[in-house]
Amino acid sequence: MKVSGFTFVRNALTLDFPIVEAITSVLPICDEFVVAAGDSNDGTTDVIRRIGDQRIRLIETVWDPSYFIRGAIYAQQTNLALAECSGDWCFYLQADEVVHEADLPIIRRCMEANLRQEEVEGLLFRYLHFWGDYRHYHRAHCWYDKEIRVIRNGLGIQSWHDAQGFRRNSEKLRAVDSKTAVYHYGYVRHPMTMSKKQHIMDAVYRVAGRDTEHSPAEDIPFDYYPLDHLPIFKGTHPQVMQARIAQKNWDAADYRGSGHPKQHKHNRPSQRLLSFVENRILGGKKLWDNKNYIELR
C-alpha cells in the first residue's frame, strides 16, 4: 500500500499558517508528499524545502485571479497537487490542519483495512475547530463536524467548490469514519494577522456580479468576540504544534470591541439556539445537516 500526502499553500509566513506542522504531522505514514506551492512573496516555498525530506515534492504554481470566485482557487490548487499523487490513498491536509501523532497508527490501519473495500472511496475525520486561541473550539451548528481527508486514488475524484471536500462526477463520496481528528487552526492567530487573512479570504471568495460583504481593513484587529460560551479543549495538541503554542503572544480578550464590525455567524441567536439543542439535548446530533459525503456504517 502506497500513501500520498498533498496540500497547497501560498504566503504561509505572512498569514501565519502552520504549513510545516501540517506536512510533518502526517509525513511519517506517507511515501510521498506533494505540495502545490503558490507564488508566495514571503519565503514560504523555501521554508518547505528546508524541511529536508526527500519524500516532499514541490510543484510551483501561480494563482490565477480568474479563480478568485467563491474560493474556487483553493480547489484548483488542490487538484493540481492531487494530479501528481501516485499512492493508493491520498491524504489531504490544508495549510492550517494538523493531525495528532497518536492517531497515525489508527489512520494507517484504517487505510489497510479498507484498501480492498472498493465501495469505500474516502475516510472521514472529526474536526476540532479552534477559535481565538488553543483552548477554545467550536461545536456550533454552522461548523462542520466531519469531512473527508483521505481519498482513494484513480477514481477521478476532484476537490469540490472551495476545497472543503471532494466529489466524483459531482456525486458525494462514500466514506467510513477513521475515528480520528483533524486539528483545525484556521482561526488561531494574532488578531492583526487574522484580520489580514480575513481580508485576503474575502477577496478570493468574491461573488461574480456583485460586491463582496464589507471586509475589515487590514490595520484593524480581528475581534473574535467573547469566548466564554465555547467549550474548553481538555486534550493534548499534536507534538508538532507545541513550539508554536509556546510562542503565542496575544490574548483575544485584549482586542474585544476594537475591530471586526460583523457579528460572526455562530453568535447569531438562531445559531446559538440550534447549537444548544444539538449539543445539550440531542447529544451532538446535527439538525438539517447538509453533509458533503455519504457515511458508510
Side-chain angles (χ1 to χ4, degrees), residues 116-258:
R116 306 303 175 194
Q117 307 301 319
E118 294 185 359
E119 72 277 12
V120 178
E121 298 169 311
L123 306 184
L124 286 166
F125 291 75
R126 179 171 56 92
Y127 264 74
L128 290 165
H129 300 285
F130 291 92
W131 179 267
D133 57 33
Y134 297 101
R135 296 179 61 243
H136 297 88
Y137 69 101
H138 272 292
R139 295 182 62 196
H141 171 80
C142 56
W143 288 79
Y144 51 94
D145 285 341
K146 295 179 183 177
E147 196 47 84
I148 292 173
R149 280 297 176 263
V150 171
I151 58 174
R152 189 182 295 275
N153 203 4
L155 300 181
I157 295 171
Q158 292 279 282
S159 184
W160 182 252
H161 285 176
D162 64 350
Q164 180 177 317
F166 295 88
R167 297 286 175 99
R168 181 185 182 191
N169 298 324
S170 300
E171 298 292 329
K172 294 181 180 181
L173 302 186
R174 297 167 296 176
V176 296
D177 194 341
S178 71
K179 306 297 183 182
T180 59
V182 166
Y183 291 61
H184 179 210
Y185 300 106
Y187 286 86
V188 183
R189 286 167 174 78
H190 188 287
M192 291 301 300
T193 308
M194 188 64 229
S195 184
K196 182 180 295 186
K197 183 203 173 196
Q198 188 68 45
H199 192 83
I200 291 173
M201 286 178 63
D202 284 354
V204 302
Y205 273 90
R206 74 175 189 269
V207 178
R210 65 181 175 87
D211 293 334
T212 58
E213 295 182 22
H214 176 67
S215 178
E218 293 185 55
D219 58 351
I220 298 177
F222 188 89
D223 190 340
Y224 288 101
Y225 279 62
L227 306 182
D228 54 11
H229 65 285
L230 300 181
I232 299 294
F233 180 60
K234 300 293 180 63
T236 61
H237 288 272
Q239 185 60 40
V240 295
M241 288 294 296
Q242 295 306 315
R244 180 177 288 266
I245 293 171
Q247 292 167 4
K248 176 180 172 291
N249 62 354
W250 78 90
D251 187 333
D254 293 340
Y255 296 87
R256 286 287 297 113
S258 61

Side-chain angles (χ1 to χ4, degrees), residues 254-271:
D254 293 340
Y255 296 87
R256 286 287 297 113
S258 61
H260 203 291
K262 184 178 67 174
Q263 185 182 35
H264 302 304
K265 185 176 181 180
H266 56 258
N267 279 334
R268 296 173 186 170
S270 60
Q271 291 292 322

